[in-house]
């Protein structure tokens, strides 16, 4: 089963342009305030972490992800990398750019969930419940991204967040 969510938004930046570029090129720093991520690490082999998904009857499931980080002249890209040996994982793709006093972000989440074969009404209902819970979590992550990154921007010392965050 595959569940997807996307989010595009812009945030204001009041600091130096070089600091803006450094911020968008550091996903561990930019994503540090997202509460649905755990064990977020960025290194030479890319960005790794776990997306936490609460599933009814199963508790909290962590979906690992690994994305390669590509630096661009005005920002960075995240490209999903293959994960092997996992029954469930999430692909995290993204683009971030710094242009003047604006930071632009675009993310795409694609969760891969292996569920037992749906047999009868009970199995189909369980699969539907898992799909709905995962979909709600990915949508919530996408909705919370602007505020979480705005909080990280504030920590970067560019001033207090304002109401100019704009989701597209």
């Amino acid at each position: 089963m595959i569940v997807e969510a996307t989010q595009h938004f812009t945030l204001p930046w009041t600091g130096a342009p070089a600091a803006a570029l450094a911020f968008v090129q550091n996903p561990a720093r930019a994503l540090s305030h997202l509460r649905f991520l755990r064990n977020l690490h960025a290194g030479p082999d890319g960005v790794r972490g776990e997306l936490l998904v609460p599933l009814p009857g199963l508790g909290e499931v962590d979906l690992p992800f690994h994305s390669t980080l590509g630096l661009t002249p005005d920002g960075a890209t995240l490209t999903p990398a293959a994960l092997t040996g996992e029954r469930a994982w999430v692909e995290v793709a993204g683009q971030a750019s710094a242009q003047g006093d604006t930071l632009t972000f675009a993310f795409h989440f694609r969760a891969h969930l292996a569920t037992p074969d749906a047999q009868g009404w009970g199995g189909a209902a369980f699969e539907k419940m898992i799909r709905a819970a995962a979909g709600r979590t990915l949508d919530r992550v996408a909705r919370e991204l602007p505020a979480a990154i705005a909080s990280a921007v504030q920590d970067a010392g560019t001033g207090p967040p304002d109401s100019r965050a704009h989701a597209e």
Side-chain angles (χ1 to χ4, degrees):
M1 155 185 345
I2 295 177
V3 180
E4 299 181 77
T6 60
Q7 178 64 281
H8 303 272
F9 58 97
T10 60
L11 294 171
W13 182 269
T14 59
L21 181 60
F23 181 83
V24 298
Q25 289 182 339
N26 185 344
R29 186 173 176 199
L31 300 174
S32 65
H33 289 251
L34 192 59
R35 66 185 178 110
F36 289 103
L37 287 182
R38 180 170 56 195
N39 298 326
L40 183 63
H41 300 286
D45 69 333
V47 180
R48 294 179 180 272
E50 299 167 347
L51 181 67
L52 303 176
V53 179
L55 297 176
L58 298 177
E60 202 167 66
V61 175
D62 21 339
L63 301 178
F65 71 89
H66 178 210
S67 299
T68 58
L69 176 64
L71 301 182
T72 64
D74 68 342
T77 61
L78 290 176
T79 304
L83 287 176
T84 57
E86 299 287 347
R87 290 186 49 124
W89 71 96
V90 64
E91 295 176 12
V92 177
Q95 291 184 311
S97 66
Q99 298 172 344
D101 64 351
T102 303
L103 306 179
T104 303
F105 297 90
F107 288 95
H108 182 87
F109 301 95
R110 185 174 188 178
H112 298 261
L113 306 168
T115 57
D117 290 335
Q119 299 192 9
W121 288 100
F126 178 73
E127 185 173 315
K128 186 175 182 179
M129 180 179 64
I130 297 298
R131 178 181 298 278
R136 281 192 306 273
T137 297
L138 287 183
D139 287 342
R140 190 171 35 229
V141 167
R143 282 191 318 272
E144 289 186 9
L145 270 167
I149 294 178
S151 181
V153 165
Q154 182 179 12
D155 281 357
T158 66
D162 64 23
S163 60
R164 292 191 300 152
H166 180 269
E168 298 171 2

